[in-house]
Amino acid sequence: MTRLNLVILVALLIALPLSLLAGRVWLDPFHPTLANATVILVELRLPRALLAVTLGAGLGAAGGAMQGYLRNPLADPGLFGIAPSAALGAVISLFSGAAAWTLPVFALAGAGGAMALLGLIAGRESDGHSGGGSVALFTLAGLMIASLAGALMSLAISLAPTPFALSEIVTWLMGALTDRSWGDVALAMPLTLLGILVLRLAGPGLDALVLGEAAARSLGLDPHRLQLLLIGGVGLTVGAGVAVAGIIGFVGLVVPHLVRPFTDRRPSRLIMPSALAGALLLLAADCLCRVLPLVTELRLGIALSLIGAPFFLALLLRLRRGAGADAGLA
Amino acid sequence: MRGSPDMLRADNLVLPGRLAGVGLTLRPGEITAVVGANGAGKSSLVACLAGLLRPLAGAVLLDGQPLSALPPRHRARRIGYLPQSPEVAWDLTVETLVALGRLPWQGAALHRARATPDEDVRAVSRALAAMDLETLRHRSISRLSGGERARALAARVLSGEPEWLIADEPLANLDLAHAAALVRLLRRQAHDEGRGVIVVVHDLATAMNHADRVVVLEQGRVVADGPPGEALTNALVSRVWGLPARWLGEPGARALALDDLG
């Protein structure tokens, strides 16, 4: 394990138990006065903290891998259309008023559908003439899937049968970790861990791609295998995340940026630290949502965008001023 | 004759609109310059030789075996390829960039005949030394001059220690001195290290003075092939490039004079 990974891991291990104490009701570990402190801790805060860590890790890793694949610091895991497709599945579940437990199933089915579609596109025969296996074509296809899923979601919202369904859909889309249970952890954690593992397998291929597609192929890269690994890895991490928490933006975009200067900038070396830092960021952001004195709890997705957007603007301005080494070469 | 060892052979390569039946036998220890007007098929030919383009008809044979039958990773260990105007997506250090050339030797942990980390480190050091980059090892590539960058990219190919080194216009955008330095280093790879070096060049004087062999392409066909003095005759240059041209100077220091530019 590199020193960077170790540092973030230690920070995460310190932050995780601390985060359990914070919330609408503060828990004092030395003088437990509340009778139901154990219930709050074990049934409410622990699964929620574990979900934040899981989802943050998945989004961070997926973002790092996507930026490596597209050789662009502005890429994020939503670009392949997997997140919007998963959200579309969830919206359909909410729209039809089906039982609550169907929502993650529908969301995973949506993610799976997008993955299958991307897999079919990636599977086109590449003979070097037709452009099969090309990053640009593949990404455009992903963007089309994203925009189609987005349009269908808007359609569902505009056709919502009752105002209640409408507000439920809109609120759900904002992304949150409120009132999550151990069942959600059991669903998201294995899928996300598997996804991160798959993304790690894509590491050497992403490194080769640093040199451009032709040079990468001359180094023995199989572009289709890389695409399938990315579809699998991004699909599992992002699909699992949307299924239990809705759409959570910015983690996949910002975290790789924060981590990259501490690495040697090879994409393979970015995936693990991005996962760990994503976990830390989402855990901190969720704590913030819990403790802010608002009438209803701030939605996690909104909070991240509120913090993330100004941060990202500042980053872009600095990139432009400071010769923009990364962006300029991309 | 098929199956001659230690040869890279193009056998009647056809790519619609680009190559119209190219046959070539390349030998290790030689530097071969591929020249021709724009659109003559130079890049397509070297991409086929590197196994990146599959010809519609014909085949590329490496030691008598079709290149397309070789697993990509094995091919990558034997044939290094430097694309035209190579890009580097992130601001790596020179050393990290050069180490990317070791990828065909790394990969899956269970892979047989995988290089040890020590071998990787030594190969990277050798490649840096071969391209005179030892002092720039830790510099980021955004802070390199054009000439240094071209040498770093060439070192990336060398670190894979391929038997064949194929470069598509490595001298483009280099000034005279840097181009000469890179040519000298590439010649050394052919003559001292015994690699087969195949270079697409635009500057005919570079091909004339520094190559062991020149292949002239015209509309997807080889119209001349041999030692520079025999391949690049005044008559051939004048015909293929459509300008009355004649060589001046001594062998090894030739310059091309164009008689009729007015």
Side-chain angles (χ1 to χ4, degrees):
Chain A
M1 179 175 283
T2 65
R3 206 170 59 185
L4 175 65
N5 283 338
L6 201 63
V7 168
I8 312 177
L9 185 64
V10 168
L12 190 60
L13 289 178
I14 294 170
L16 187 61
L18 286 180
S19 80
L20 299 177
L21 305 178
R24 190 56 47 88
V25 182
W26 287 80
L27 300 178
D28 181 343
F30 304 110
H31 305 284
T33 48
L34 284 166
N36 50 4
T38 317
V39 176
I40 294 181
L41 214 60
V42 174
E43 292 302 321
L44 295 176
R45 292 199 182 159
L46 192 56
R48 184 170 175 166
L50 287 178
L51 268 187
V53 166
T54 304
L55 267 49
L59 289 169
M66 286 291 287
Q67 293 187 4
Y69 182 66
L70 297 178
R71 286 171 282 159
N72 191 320
L74 301 178
D76 96 351
L79 281 183
F80 278 177
I82 290 170
S85 301
L88 175 66
V91 166
I92 290 173
S93 156
L94 290 167
F95 181 83
S96 61
W101 65 268
T102 61
L103 189 144
V105 176
F106 272 56
L108 286 178
M115 285 162 71
L117 208 52
L118 286 166
L120 282 177
I121 294 162
R124 299 286 100 191
E125 178 62 23
S126 161
D127 52 7
H129 307 296
S130 62
S134 131
V135 172
L137 272 181
F138 186 56
T139 310
L140 276 174
L143 277 173
M144 289 308 112
I145 294 176
S147 101
L148 187 65
L152 288 172
M153 249 190 296
S154 302
L155 183 70
I157 291 171
S158 67
L159 294 178
T162 62
F164 177 71
L166 178 76
S167 96
E168 214 183 14
I169 291 174
V170 171
T171 320
W172 185 85
L173 280 176
M174 290 171 183
L177 286 173
T178 324
D179 302 330
R180 294 306 192 266
S181 69
W182 284 102
D184 294 309
V185 179
L187 177 74
M189 198 177 258
L191 293 179
T192 304
L193 286 179
L194 186 64
I196 293 175
L197 198 74
V198 172
L199 289 176
R200 284 199 57 162
L201 291 179
L206 294 176
D207 284 353
L209 213 50
V210 168
L211 299 165
E213 289 176 63
R217 289 208 297 130
S218 80
L219 285 170
L221 172 81
D222 177 349
H224 287 133
R225 181 174 171 273
L226 181 63
Q227 284 176 342
L228 294 178
L229 285 174
L230 272 166
I231 296 170
V234 174
L236 285 167
T237 53
V238 172
V242 175
V244 298
I247 293 204
I248 295 174
F250 270 105
V251 178
L253 181 64
V254 172
V255 164
H257 276 279
L258 292 176
V259 176
R260 186 172 291 115
F262 302 101
T263 69
D264 64 10
R265 298 172 192 272
R266 266 184 293 170
S268 64
R269 299 304 171 97
L270 191 61
I271 292 174
M272 279 322 281
S274 290
L276 292 168
L280 189 60
L281 176 68
L282 209 58
L283 186 69
D286 188 47
C287 274
L288 196 70
C289 288
R290 283 206 302 253
V291 300
L292 277 185
L294 295 173
V295 183
T296 60
E297 193 178 298
L298 182 61
R299 309 290 295 186
L300 183 59
I302 302 178
L304 277 166
S305 297
L306 277 179
I307 309 168
F311 168 85
F312 204 70
L313 268 177
L315 194 88
L316 286 180
L317 288 176
R318 210 184 60 191
L319 267 181
R320 214 183 59 170
R321 247 203 332 267
D326 281 340
L329 284 165
Chain B
M1 173 183 81
R2 288 187 167 219
S4 28
D6 285 343
M7 298 271 184
L8 186 60
R9 224 172 82 118
D11 198 3
N12 194 30
L13 297 180
V14 177
L15 260 181
R18 291 189 267 182
L19 298 176
V22 172
L24 274 181
T25 303
L26 296 153
R27 286 174 289 273
E30 267 188 1
I31 179 161
T32 302
V34 177
V35 299
N38 288 333
K42 306 182 293 290
S43 291
S44 302
L45 172 62
V46 293
C48 284
L49 289 172
L52 300 180
L53 273 182
R54 204 178 305 157
L56 190 70
V60 176
L61 305 172
L62 179 61
D63 300 353
Q65 305 289 329
L67 206 54
S68 53
L70 214 56
R73 182 187 296 269
H74 292 190
R75 182 203 70 216
R77 290 178 177 188
R78 303 192 56 190
I79 303 178
Y81 173 75
L82 185 61
Q84 199 171 356
S85 46
E87 49 178 323
V88 184
W90 308 98
D91 194 14
L92 311 175
T93 62
V94 170
E95 186 176 28
T96 310
L97 169 69
V98 173
L100 290 179
R102 295 300 295 166
L103 279 169
W105 297 94
Q106 298 163 348
L110 299 174
H111 212 275
R112 256 173 243 233
R114 167 175 186 261
T116 66
D118 280 353
E119 283 164 356
D120 289 333
V121 170
R122 281 198 296 272
V124 169
S125 293
R126 278 195 294 269
L128 288 168
M131 288 289 139
D132 283 340
L133 289 166
E134 283 129 320
T135 52
L136 301 175
R137 182 186 273 260
H138 299 294
R139 183 167 299 185
S140 18
I141 48 171
S142 62
R143 293 174 52 223
L144 297 180
S145 72
E148 290 163 351
R149 187 181 150 91
R151 295 208 312 270
L153 287 159
R156 190 280 293 168
V157 183
L158 282 182
S159 73
E161 314 214 303
E163 297 148 51
W164 297 91
L165 185 60
I166 299 178
D168 196 350
E169 292 202 39
L171 308 179
N173 303 322
L174 292 188
D175 65 36
L176 219 53
H178 285 114
L182 187 55
V183 166
R184 187 170 48 82
L185 294 168
L186 289 174
R187 271 171 65 89
R188 200 187 288 162
Q189 286 300 317
H191 297 160
D192 300 353
E193 307 291 327
R195 299 187 210 284
V197 179
I198 301 144
V199 188
V200 174
V201 290
H202 256 303
D203 180 34
L204 292 181
T206 304
M208 185 69 161
N209 293 325
H210 300 297
D212 298 316
R213 175 178 172 190
V214 175
V215 173
V216 184
L217 288 183
E218 187 182 25
Q219 292 177 355
R221 287 175 204 284
V222 177
V223 290
D225 176 7
E230 294 170 27
L232 288 174
T233 58
N234 290 344
L236 180 106
V237 171
S238 303
R239 186 176 65 73
V240 171
W241 277 266
L243 284 169
R246 100 195 119 79
W247 291 102
L248 306 174
E250 303 294 313
R254 299 273 202 185
L256 194 64
L258 302 176
D259 287 338
D260 183 23
L261 279 182

